[in-house]
Amino acid sequence: MNIKKSDRLSKLPPYLFAEIDRKKAGLIKEGKDIISFGVGDPDIPTPVEIVEEMKKSVEIPAFHQYPFGRGLSAFREAVAEWYLNRFGVKLDPEKEVHALIGSKEGIGHLPIGLIDPGDVVLVPSPSYPVYGGGTTLAGGEVYYMPLKEENGFLPDIGSIPEKMRQMAKLMFINYPNNPTGAVADKSFYKRVIEFAAENEIVVASDNAYSEIFYEEKPMSFLEVEGAREVGVEFHSLSKTFNMTGWRIGFVVGNSEVVKIISDVKDNYDSGVFSAIQNTGIFALKNYEKFVEKNVKIWKRRRDVLCEGLRRCGFEVKVPKATFYVWMKVPDGFSSSEFCEKLLLKAAIVATPGSGFGSAGEGYVRFAFTISEERIEEAIERMRKIKN
Ligand SMILES: *Cc1c(COP(=O)(O)O)cnc(C)c1O
């Protein structure tokens, strides 16, 4: 039998880390000690108190059944309370909050409920691959908005062509930004809201990194007037509490968009394990102490990495948020050539910027989700190959 993938699936670019993984596997076989700045997945374990809370939650029989629906009311109330404390934004836990099996799940499902074939989705380049991938799988077309260094890695909304404004139904934005580490301010969000209202485009703001910051606390898109009329915001417990494997996140904001996500999900999944939601309540209620501890670790690593890269003679900008350093590759290299050199000569994995979209060409992303000692070891190796 000849099994043929759908056109939608065939259109997706090859998985970002596949090629690097293949080369990495070869080197590991040769006995090389690989240092990986590749995937942005915290190495720090979930706080013990959260794990303890999970142990208690898992013993409650009521949590063993299908969770269904928008999430436990207590979880949705905890999200609303967190939003009020953290951002000063009031949410209706009934209509404006929905639990997700990680924010990636909701981001991927939104275009299925919103996009018809031929509709356009505005996606930043470079960006988290799910915005474009989810659009393509929903049969939509992607218009890439380049994020340029001279614009602070914010999309230049004024340059989006008239035709695209008319065809677009959805726009993704993501600050603090993966992969560039950039942050957005109120005036940017104001422009986005104006643009969205004028052109009837739904805004999906991905705020997964709101709690990984080194200067000012990043804001929520929903803090800005008019945001709730045009869009939603995605959040995740993954990065905030080192819970990537647990799969829990949420979407908040415009009740019609939340309902669309809910209707799609009713047909795909049956919700987040209630014991995990119950543990999520505990994490959100105690977020300040967990975040404070976490940020201290990330900050030290960030400084070790940035200072080290400078010592190696690289030009590097220190990120204000996220656990990524987004660095220009040296002259004469493409993103992937530079990453290949790091891998073959120094057994270091970093992600080529071009993997996040064509506008990421010329850059490399280092995720500092490894210990300070390993970062220092990597710097030492880079210093050696530089000479
Ligand atoms: C890690 C990440 C997420 C979070 O994914 P989860 O599915 O919640 O684990 C969302 N957006 C971006 C940009 C990310 O880097």
Side-chain angles (χ1 to χ4, degrees):
M1 193 171 81
N2 184 17
I3 298 175
K4 187 182 160 289
K5 291 198 275 194
S6 71
D7 292 343
R8 286 192 297 269
L9 190 58
S10 306
K11 267 193 216 161
L12 287 190
Y15 175 58
L16 170 59
F17 296 101
E19 180 69 3
I20 299 171
D21 275 350
R22 205 178 48 76
K23 288 195 181 127
K24 189 176 138 188
L27 289 171
I28 289 173
K29 239 188 200 159
E30 288 171 26
K32 289 262 163 59
D33 170 30
I34 305 271
I35 300 178
S36 180
F37 292 99
V39 187
D41 186 353
D43 59 315
I44 311 163
T46 306
V48 213
E49 297 96 315
I50 297 179
V51 174
E52 288 304 320
E53 185 68 21
M54 182 63 187
K55 287 184 187 166
K56 284 186 260 165
S57 302
V58 84
E59 294 205 32
I60 298 171
F63 292 158
H64 298 170
Q65 293 183 287
Y66 282 126
F68 288 136
R70 296 180 169 212
L72 298 178
S73 347
F75 176 73
R76 284 179 281 124
E77 278 157 22
V79 167
E81 193 186 300
W82 181 72
Y83 242 79
L84 191 60
N85 288 336
R86 172 64 178 83
F87 300 113
V89 172
K90 224 171 153 206
L91 295 167
D92 174 358
E94 284 305 312
K95 296 200 175 91
E96 295 176 328
V97 181
H98 201 306
L100 297 171
I101 313 169
S103 55
K104 181 180 187 178
E105 177 262 298
I107 291 167
H109 279 145
L110 174 58
I112 294 178
L114 203 61
I115 297 304
D116 287 313
D119 286 341
V120 165
V121 178
L122 306 175
V123 173
S125 171
S127 67
Y128 187 53
V130 187
Y131 313 137
T135 300
T136 304
L137 287 177
E141 304 294 327
V142 178
Y143 176 79
Y144 286 105
M145 309 179 284
L147 305 185
K148 295 184 182 153
E149 189 154 357
E150 67 257 33
N151 299 327
F153 297 110
L154 302 171
D156 176 10
I157 291 168
S159 74
I160 298 168
E162 184 54 37
K163 183 153 183 259
M164 291 301 138
R165 294 171 190 235
Q166 283 168 16
M167 290 168 78
K169 268 192 89 177
L170 175 63
M171 172 186 200
F172 282 103
I173 51 173
N174 163 225
Y175 296 96
N177 183 258
N178 173 11
T180 68
V183 291
D185 59 7
K186 194 166 182 172
S187 67
F188 170 72
Y189 287 126
K190 267 191 175 156
R191 287 217 57 199
V192 168
I193 293 164
E194 255 172 45
F195 170 80
E198 207 176 288
N199 296 287
E200 304 207 308
I201 295 169
V202 171
V203 177
S205 162
D206 179 353
N207 209 348
Y209 293 95
S210 69
E211 307 312 308
I212 318 272
F213 56 83
Y214 310 107
E215 290 172 25
E216 266 173 68
K217 281 191 180 183
M219 63 185 295
S220 160
F221 155 77
L222 292 174
E223 284 176 46
V224 184
E225 211 189 316
R228 204 183 309 231
E229 280 70 58
V230 299
V232 290
E233 189 155 81
F234 290 92
H235 272 273
S236 175
L237 277 71
S238 288
K239 315 289 161 61
T240 306
F241 303 108
N242 305 318
M243 289 173 72
T244 49
W246 296 58
R247 312 312 302 135
I248 181 164
F250 50 91
V251 59
V252 295
N254 185 285
S255 59
E256 285 171 72
V257 179
V258 168
K259 174 145 189 348
I260 286 173
I261 294 174
S262 192
D263 290 350
V264 172
K265 281 173 62 60
D266 281 345
N267 288 284
Y268 276 101
D269 65 65
S270 305
V272 181
F273 182 20
S274 302
I276 293 180
Q277 292 189 55
N278 196 54
T279 307
I281 297 170
F282 172 81
L284 287 170
K285 284 194 190 294
N286 297 283
Y287 81 99
E288 270 175 312
K289 84 172 176 205
F290 296 129
V291 166
E292 201 182 315
K293 221 168 153 182
N294 234 7
V295 162
K296 267 193 198 141
I297 301 174
W298 296 125
K299 190 166 194 287
R300 272 205 309 270
R301 291 178 178 184
R302 176 196 71 162
D303 294 342
V304 170
L305 177 59
C306 289
E307 280 161 26
L309 288 168
R310 281 196 181 137
R311 261 187 284 131
C312 294
F314 295 120
E315 235 181 86
V316 54
K317 286 219 172 78
V318 181
K320 291 182 180 158
T322 76
F323 40 60
Y324 303 112
V325 166
W326 183 247
M327 190 183 88
K328 262 204 177 112
V329 299
D331 285 343
F333 286 93
S334 71
S335 292
S336 44
E337 283 164 0
F338 182 69
C339 289
E340 180 148 354
K341 179 180 168 186
L342 284 183
L343 185 60
L344 298 179
K345 297 250 170 84
I348 291 168
V349 174
T351 312
S354 50
F356 298 96
S358 58
E361 180 53 69
Y363 290 86
V364 55
R365 191 192 78 174
F366 293 94
F368 40 96
T369 46
I370 52 173
S371 71
E372 263 175 73
E373 292 71 38
R374 293 296 273 172
I375 296 172
E376 270 160 9
E377 162 73 22
I379 296 295
E380 199 45 40
R381 290 187 196 176
M382 280 191 251
R383 224 171 41 80
K384 279 188 191 137
I385 62 164
K386 179 86 183 168
N387 306 322

